[in-house]
Amino acid sequence: MNKPQSKAKPLAAYDHTKIEAKWQKQWDKKKAFVVKEDSTKKKFFGLIEFPFPSGDGLHVGHIRSNTAMDIIARKRRREGFNVLYPIGWDAFGLPTENYAIKTGMQPSVVSKKNSDTFRRQLKALGFSFDWSREIDTTDPKYYKWTQWIFLQFLKKGLAYKKKMTINWCPKDLTGLANEEVVNGCCERCGTPVEKRDKEQWMLAITKYADRLDKDLDTVEFLERIKTQQRNWIGKSEGAELSFKIKDSDKNIDVFTTRPDTLYGVTYVVLAPEHKLVSEFMDKIENKSDVEAYIAKVKKETDIERTDAKKEKSGVELKGLRAINPANNEEVSIWIADYVLADYGTGAVMAVPAHDERDFEFAKKYNLTIKTVIEPLISKDDGPDAVKKDAPFVERNAAVCIIKHWSEDKYLMSFYKANGWKGFVVGGIENGESVAVTGTREIHEETGYKNAKFVREVGTIHSKFYHAVKSVNRFAHFKVAYFELSNGDRDEMAEEEKKLHDVVWLSPSEVAASVNREDIRIAWNFFNGKTSYTGSGLLVNSGSFTGKDSESIKKDITSSAGGKWVTTFKLRDWIFSRQRYWGEPIPVVHCESCGIVAVPEKDLPVKLPKVKNYKPTETGESPLAAISKWVNTKCPNCKGKAKRETDTMPNWAGSSWYYLRYADPKNKKVFADKKKLEYWTPVDWYNGGMEHTTLHLLYSRFWHKFLYDIGVVPTSEPYMKRTAHGLILAAGGEKMSKSKGNVVNPDDIIGTLGADSLRLYEMFMGPFDQPIAWNTDNIAGVRRFIERVWKLHEKVQPGTVATKDAQKIVHKTIKKVTEDIEAMRFNTAISSLMIALNELERQESVAVESYEALLQLIAPFAPHVTEELWASLGHKDSIHTSGWPLFDAAFTVESEATIMIQISGKVRGSFTAPMNTSKEELEKLAKESPEAKKWLEGKSVSKVIVVPNKLVNIVVV
């Protein structure tokens, strides 16, 4: 512990206003958090998502991530790390532009005004940002390098222009990426989007899809973040197959992960926009129906079309047929809204027996459903798991679903030996029909005499250990449905009664009771859920019949003339916006030379100042109307050329901002290589879950590209990525100005202080969970601070810490240290409150105990602890003092409190040394006065001892 240089000074009343202003001024004056590269020190780069400065300033939900990373950064400094904790502004984009249009101010003026407000608020909260590295994406000195990176993409062929159907927001008058459409509406303004054909700049992120997926194994991201990334990338292995269009030289190409179901294809579906539809329009017999359907689908968004809950619709292309490459069977061709032209090949082979979507469509339009896979279930856990070294005995058997003669109930068998809950099952003898077997087994196992066979339901194969027979069983279950004519019944044989009970259950009770997968599937088949999507044994599949469906996929692909490929759901990134407030795309369009890059020496291409920056109805950027800016010379031929008038999306500047923090003032390169080698990758990045898919994916893509061209030293930008839950308004709604439920931190800082606000942000609930704001609850953490302040009165130099005080302090050091690393900030603060309670009970408090408490609170409440630290006579900042270390000897419990129970009811307790033997604990419990009065006249039937916890004496 650091020793004070003089006696503690008496304190005035706690005044957060004076204290916080005083120390913020001191930190600024001393440049306390400005950092430089120091090769002798291990670095720590802590990052938050830099804020988008809105017109309303910060609300309390914005600062949760900042506070958390500030706590971690302050702890790292005191652990000896060289800490970079930077800040900047993500200021291009629609929110600023829309606010500017609404207020009539220039976007540049709005951006500066907003960032000034944010800066003031962040400083008032005492965050230990290195303000000397502040960046702004709208600063030409910054976006020069965003443009430079774009030109590198262009050089490598990863930036290109393409005419395509895009999402168009009729209110914001701009194109939107699929990611910016939520429930069919613009994520910014909530307006339903439309479809328009337009040329767009694209970035070929798909060329990095495999690396973006694989390299997730190399980083420490929350598992749910990795899952989101992988789901968006959508890596799939499968077959590319071609269905020839009859009487033509054209093929319908499909990709499928289930080539094992190829023999079950009964129709093929094209996206309504598929080029083959227009090519064959004159041959389609119901042309008018098809054209009307295409017009209808154009009004739907991709989100609406692919909504799993939406009823599927389609139209057959009458007069066209496709040929199944597996068996040369002709199948019908349809167009349907659930197939998208730019997803996969824009076509699917439909196997309704083994795909739920296809099944739903086939049932609606009365199309053929052909089973080609029978389920194969293999038990690998539980008492009926397959015994690895035991052989299999194959057996054909009947599974009998039996309906009551007068009620909607079904007969189930509950088997006693293995706990199975299913139906009557019996072996099929050679030459027997399932009807004969079922009728016999029903009578033998249940006694019911008048079972009438109705129909076969399906076949299921199952591998399991049959405990009753003591063998591994490979059963081939024929599922059959029987109805009882009446309740006539013989008495069940005693042998059957020992094996199982029979019970009548309603359909819902049956579904809830079945505890075997194969029997559950049988029940689903019986109830019409005949689209089986799992693996199994092939049937009706030519020479592949009887083979395992999983193992035969590549063979079927090869036999049908297809090829095995890896594909991705990820689409190339739409990089154009038809708005004013964004980075100009640094290319010109020359009539002779085509698209020409602006020379790097001429960067940045500055965004011109304009009077009218409102978007246009034509779909062009407002920049298109500025002829003086648009008209230029071609860098190649010096002839007439026009500048690109689309601007970059606001994702552009945020895809590489963390790199600029390493060297924000460099005019020659976007960052010095040595500084990048020192600072990158980012050690810990925290932000909202809403940005852990797209922003994170785009940023990783840019970084990998920059790594490939040799300008950054690592292939991944962030080693660790965590996320926080949203702070919601009272009542659980999202904070929003439109709802009038935003809480301004300025008000709380003024009345209760920044330290109180910071503590409450971290204390209000688990950091990774959403939680509703409650201003009334801040009073509790304010009282905690005041009690810490008042505890100063008990601090007496020369006081020796008691053993109890030492134990609570060292336990708290251990707890807080571990909780900060695990982002369990609320429990860390709880442990600090417990420690304060214990120290308040002391008549006097040792200086070293109080110092340790202050050092632990300091990352959470930096101002008040700085003041109290100085009051103890310290000349140096508490935020440069070493992080306290705990002595393990004080954190290990030496005694345990043992609860005494008599027949399960608590009757007393006693203390005993930790890890006392069971025998000794039993003896001590029986000899205790509390136990003796309850044991008098009773016999002890048994004693249950849980070491270090309880002794339960059961009496009769």
Side-chain angles (χ1 to χ4, degrees):
M1 298 290 179
N2 292 302
K3 295 299 178 185
Q5 297 177 15
S6 62
K7 292 184 179 180
K9 299 176 183 177
L11 296 178
Y14 172 53
D15 183 340
H16 69 266
T17 304
K18 289 182 179 178
I19 290 168
E20 290 172 1
K22 168 187 172 181
W23 288 108
Q24 287 165 20
K25 185 177 179 180
Q26 287 277 349
W27 296 334
D28 278 347
K29 182 179 178 181
K30 294 181 179 179
K31 298 182 178 179
F33 310 117
V34 173
V35 66
K36 294 182 180 179
E37 293 71 25
D38 183 348
S39 60
T40 66
K41 296 178 73 174
K42 187 176 179 181
K43 66 91 180 179
F44 176 79
F45 188 170
L47 186 69
I48 57 165
E49 291 164 351
F50 63 160
F52 197 112
S54 67
D56 307 318
L58 289 170
H59 65 64
V60 292
H62 290 137
I63 57 179
R64 198 177 196 190
S65 179
N66 308 12
T67 306
M69 190 51 67
D70 191 55
I71 290 165
I72 293 162
R74 288 177 179 276
K75 178 172 180 283
R76 287 288 186 275
R77 288 189 192 96
R78 291 167 56 197
E79 290 171 327
F81 287 82
N82 197 29
V83 173
L84 172 57
Y85 185 36
I87 188 66
W89 315 111
D90 186 14
F92 268 135
L94 282 175
T96 296
E97 190 171 359
N98 286 345
Y99 186 82
I101 292 169
K102 180 181 177 182
T103 60
M105 290 190 288
Q106 282 284 335
S108 57
V109 175
V110 169
S111 180
K112 183 179 185 308
K113 178 177 176 290
N114 293 350
S115 59
D116 287 346
T117 300
F118 270 53
R119 187 184 301 105
R120 174 188 60 76
Q121 291 181 306
L122 292 172
K123 286 192 171 185
L125 282 155
F127 294 129
S128 60
F129 293 126
D130 181 350
W131 287 99
S132 72
R133 295 175 183 251
E134 182 181 352
I135 60 172
D136 185 333
T137 57
T138 69
D139 183 346
K141 296 185 186 70
Y142 179 88
Y143 70 68
K144 167 185 178 177
W145 299 107
T146 309
Q147 293 175 337
W148 179 86
I149 295 170
F150 176 85
L151 291 181
Q152 309 318 303
F153 279 121
L154 190 64
K155 284 180 188 177
K156 299 293 184 181
L158 297 177
Y160 64 97
K161 233 179 177 186
K162 175 184 177 183
K163 188 169 185 179
M164 61 183 301
T165 302
I166 65 166
N167 304 303
W168 179 261
C169 176
K171 182 177 179 182
D172 287 333
L173 298 175
T174 190
L176 302 172
N178 286 333
E179 304 83 29
E180 295 170 311
V181 179
V182 179
N183 297 324
C185 298
C186 172
E187 70 165 350
R188 294 293 188 188
C189 67
T191 303
V193 302
E194 301 171 355
K195 291 291 186 180
R196 284 196 183 182
D197 291 332
K198 186 161 178 49
E199 275 208 335
Q200 297 283 292
W201 279 100
M202 312 288 292
L203 290 186
I205 190 173
T206 52
K207 294 189 176 178
Y208 281 74
D210 196 38
R211 285 168 63 186
L212 287 167
D213 182 276
K214 286 180 179 177
D215 288 356
L216 287 169
D217 292 333
T218 69
V219 291
E220 187 184 349
F221 291 2
L222 293 177
E223 201 55 44
R224 57 183 173 146
I225 293 175
K226 289 186 178 184
T227 299
Q228 281 189 350
Q229 292 260 298
R230 286 197 161 111
N231 287 346
W232 194 265
I233 295 165
K235 183 177 180 179
S236 297
E237 285 192 342
E240 278 187 357
L241 299 163
S242 293
F243 285 70
K244 182 178 173 58
I245 297 178
K246 184 181 179 183
D247 298 328
S248 83
D249 59 354
K250 300 289 185 179
N251 293 320
I252 298 173
D253 297 322
V254 302
F255 169 81
T256 178
T257 60
R258 296 298 305 271
D260 49 322
T261 65
L262 183 56
Y263 285 82
V265 174
T266 58
Y267 61 100
V268 174
V269 186
L270 300 176
E273 310 89 342
H274 198 290
K275 63 180 182 179
L276 289 174
V277 179
S278 58
E279 287 180 22
F280 281 86
M281 189 63 75
D282 290 340
K283 293 184 179 181
I284 296 172
E285 295 171 0
N286 55 335
K287 180 179 177 180
S288 59
D289 293 338
V290 171
E291 289 177 332
Y293 183 75
I294 292 172
K296 171 182 170 289
V297 171
K298 277 187 175 180
K299 297 177 183 178
E300 299 176 357
T301 67
D302 290 355
I303 302 295
E304 290 171 332
R305 288 171 58 176
T306 55
D307 184 353
K309 297 177 182 177
K310 179 181 179 293
E311 184 180 0
K312 307 298 181 287
S313 67
V315 175
E316 183 182 358
L317 305 184
K318 294 180 179 178
L320 298 183
R321 305 286 284 178
I323 309 298
N324 187 328
N327 53 19
N328 292 319
E329 287 183 0
E330 292 185 18
V331 296
S332 57
I333 303 174
W334 291 68
I335 56 172
D337 55 358
Y338 67 83
V339 181
L340 303 178
D342 61 351
Y343 182 73
T345 64
V348 297
M349 63 179 218
V351 189
H354 304 291
D355 181 276
E356 291 179 3
R357 179 192 59 189
D358 297 342
F359 177 76
E360 178 187 334
F361 192 87
K363 293 289 282 186
K364 179 176 179 177
Y365 292 104
N366 198 29
L367 301 174
T368 302
I369 298 172
K370 180 182 176 183
T371 297
V372 292
I373 294 180
E374 293 175 343
L376 172 58
I377 308 302
S378 183
K379 283 289 291 180
D380 55 9
D381 59 6
D384 54 351
V386 170
K387 304 284 186 184
K388 290 185 178 180
D389 298 326
F392 280 96
V393 176
E394 290 200 48
R395 181 71 157 147
N396 294 322
V399 174
C400 306
I401 297 176
I402 309 158
K403 190 176 187 297
H404 196 276
W405 57 93
S406 63
E407 299 179 55
D408 188 21
K409 289 187 175 182
Y410 297 84
L411 195 63
M412 290 193 72
S413 287
F414 289 4
Y415 293 89
K416 297 176 181 179
N418 49 28
W420 291 347
K421 294 181 179 181
F423 303 110
V424 169
V425 179
I428 298 175
E429 304 301 334
N430 289 337
E432 270 188 346
S433 69
V434 69
V436 170
T437 299
T439 303
R440 180 186 66 246
E441 294 295 330
I442 290 169
H443 182 251
E444 287 182 3
E445 293 194 15
T446 72
Y448 286 105
K449 298 190 290 184
N450 297 312
K452 177 186 176 184
F453 171 75
V454 179
R455 68 175 188 272
E456 275 197 47
V457 172
T459 302
I460 300 167
H461 308 274
S462 187
K463 293 181 177 181
F464 57 92
Y465 180 71
H466 199 320
V468 175
K469 306 292 185 181
S470 300
V471 295
N472 274 340
R473 178 77 84 206
F474 187 2
H476 309 289
F477 292 130
K478 299 287 185 182
V479 184
Y481 171 48
F482 293 82
E483 293 178 350
L484 290 178
S485 302
N486 52 50
D488 291 352
R489 183 185 187 190
D490 291 330
E491 182 71 20
M492 285 175 59
E494 289 301 319
E495 183 181 342
E496 293 294 340
K497 290 180 180 179
K498 291 177 183 178
L499 292 176
H500 59 89
D501 295 322
V502 293
V503 292
W504 288 103
L505 298 177
S506 68
S508 60
E509 290 171 330
V510 172
S513 297
V514 168
N515 62 359
R516 280 184 51 144
E517 180 67 6
D518 45 13
I519 304 302
R520 183 189 64 79
I521 294 171
W523 179 247
N524 285 342
F525 281 0
F526 170 68
N527 284 284
K529 298 176 183 176
T530 54
S531 175
Y532 173 69
T533 60
S535 59
L537 297 183
L538 292 172
V539 294
N540 304 316
S541 296
S543 62
F544 298 103
T545 295
K547 303 289 181 66
D548 175 76
S549 64
E550 280 296 315
S551 64
I552 210 69
K553 286 181 176 180
K554 291 183 179 180
D555 291 338
I556 289 182
T557 300
S558 178
S559 73
K563 61 180 180 178
W564 194 257
V565 297
T566 299
T567 66
F568 299 88
K569 185 173 73 174
L570 183 67
R571 303 271 71 84
D572 278 350
W573 176 6
I574 300 173
F575 202 67
S576 292
R577 297 295 182 270
Q578 294 73 41
R579 297 294 293 247
Y580 165 70
W581 193 237
E583 299 93 335
I585 293 175
V587 301
V588 301
H589 299 270
C590 173
E591 290 183 6
S592 301
C593 306
I595 294 174
V596 180
V598 171
E600 291 178 13
K601 67 180 179 59
D602 293 338
L603 298 180
V605 175
K606 292 186 179 180
L607 194 64
K609 292 182 179 179
V610 296
K611 288 184 180 180
N612 178 21
Y613 45 83
K614 293 182 179 179
T616 67
E617 295 288 347
T618 64
E620 288 187 296
S621 162
L623 293 173
I626 310 171
S627 58
K628 186 177 178 181
W629 183 81
V630 172
N631 294 319
T632 186
K633 289 183 179 180
C634 172
N636 282 350
C637 69
K638 308 306 178 186
K640 291 182 180 180
K642 292 183 180 293
R643 294 191 186 279
E644 173 63 64
T645 58
D646 281 2
T647 54
M648 298 186 197
N650 64 299
W651 298 99
S654 64
S655 289
W656 72 281
Y657 74 107
Y658 58 96
L659 295 170
R660 189 63 175 173
Y661 285 139
D663 194 10
K665 308 246 181 340
N666 199 317
K667 295 180 180 179
K668 295 181 179 180
V669 291
F670 73 87
D672 178 80
K673 197 167 185 178
K674 286 186 178 179
K675 291 182 179 180
L676 289 172
E677 286 173 351
Y678 180 73
W679 286 119
T680 62
V682 173
D683 295 284
W684 194 336
Y685 186 15
N686 187 77
M689 277 301 291
E690 67 271 23
H691 297 305
T692 54
T693 302
L694 296 168
H695 156 63
L696 193 59
L697 194 67
Y698 293 157
S699 185
R700 292 178 62 226
F701 163 49
W702 277 45
H703 192 91
K704 287 181 181 300
F705 171 72
L706 293 173
Y707 174 72
D708 288 350
I709 65 173
V711 294
V712 298
T714 64
S715 64
E716 281 287 333
Y718 318 114
M719 291 314 298
K720 183 172 184 175
R721 182 58 159 88
T722 51
H724 58 273
L726 290 174
I727 291 181
L728 306 171
E733 288 185 311
K734 190 172 181 179
M735 283 194 181
S736 164
K737 184 183 177 185
S738 63
K739 294 179 180 178
N741 58 13
V742 170
V743 180
N744 190 325
D746 290 350
D747 300 332
I748 297 167
I749 292 170
T751 56
L752 295 171
D755 284 340
S756 294
L757 177 55
R758 290 169 59 113
L759 272 166
Y760 180 61
E761 290 263 351
M762 297 295 98
F763 184 56
M764 62 192 298
F767 184 69
D768 63 342
Q769 300 298 315
I771 191 161
W773 181 265
N774 188 333
T775 301
D776 294 341
N777 290 345
I778 305 177
V781 294
R782 167 71 186 208
R783 286 193 297 271
F784 168 70
I785 291 174
E786 290 173 345
R787 288 168 55 204
V788 172
W789 183 270
K790 188 173 178 59
L791 186 64
H792 182 278
E793 297 172 3
K794 285 192 172 186
V795 176
Q796 298 294 329
T799 298
V800 177
T802 64
K803 186 177 179 182
D804 285 345
Q806 288 178 304
K807 284 174 66 175
I808 189 63
V809 166
H810 285 275
K811 283 182 181 179
T812 307
I813 293 171
K814 183 176 186 292
K815 175 71 171 162
V816 172
T817 300
E818 293 171 351
D819 281 356
I820 288 176
E821 294 305 313
M823 303 191 104
R824 295 190 298 261
F825 302 111
N826 59 324
T827 57
I829 294 170
S830 293
S831 67
L832 290 168
M833 292 176 171
I834 293 168
L836 176 62
N837 292 341
E838 293 299 321
L839 291 177
E840 283 177 329
R841 293 191 181 99
Q842 307 283 321
E843 288 188 14
S844 62
V845 175
V847 173
E848 65 179 25
S849 298
Y850 191 56
E851 284 183 341
L853 182 67
L854 294 178
Q855 286 180 308
L856 295 174
I857 297 172
F860 300 87
H863 307 89
V864 66
T865 50
E866 189 81 286
E867 180 73 13
L868 290 169
W869 187 256
S871 76
L872 293 174
H874 290 283
K875 300 299 181 185
D876 295 330
S877 169
I878 192 171
H879 304 296
T880 60
S881 68
W883 185 256
L885 303 175
F886 64 87
D887 185 337
F890 288 109
T891 65
V892 177
E893 293 287 353
S894 58
E895 289 185 336
T897 299
I898 311 299
M899 305 308 296
I900 300 172
Q901 294 181 347
I902 306 297
S903 295
K905 293 185 178 181
V906 176
R907 299 301 186 187
S909 64
F910 64 95
T911 59
M914 288 291 289
N915 301 319
T916 299
S917 69
K918 288 186 177 182
E919 293 76 15
E920 184 64 19
L921 289 176
E922 180 180 339
K923 178 183 176 185
L924 291 170
K926 288 179 176 178
E927 292 176 352
S928 69
E930 294 95 333
K932 282 184 176 179
K933 69 179 180 181
W934 291 99
L935 295 176
E936 189 173 343
K938 303 284 179 64
S939 298
V940 175
S941 63
K942 64 178 177 179
V943 178
I944 302 167
V945 179
V946 180
N948 301 323
K949 290 188 177 180
L950 66 84
V951 177
N952 182 17
I953 304 169
V954 182
V955 297
V956 291

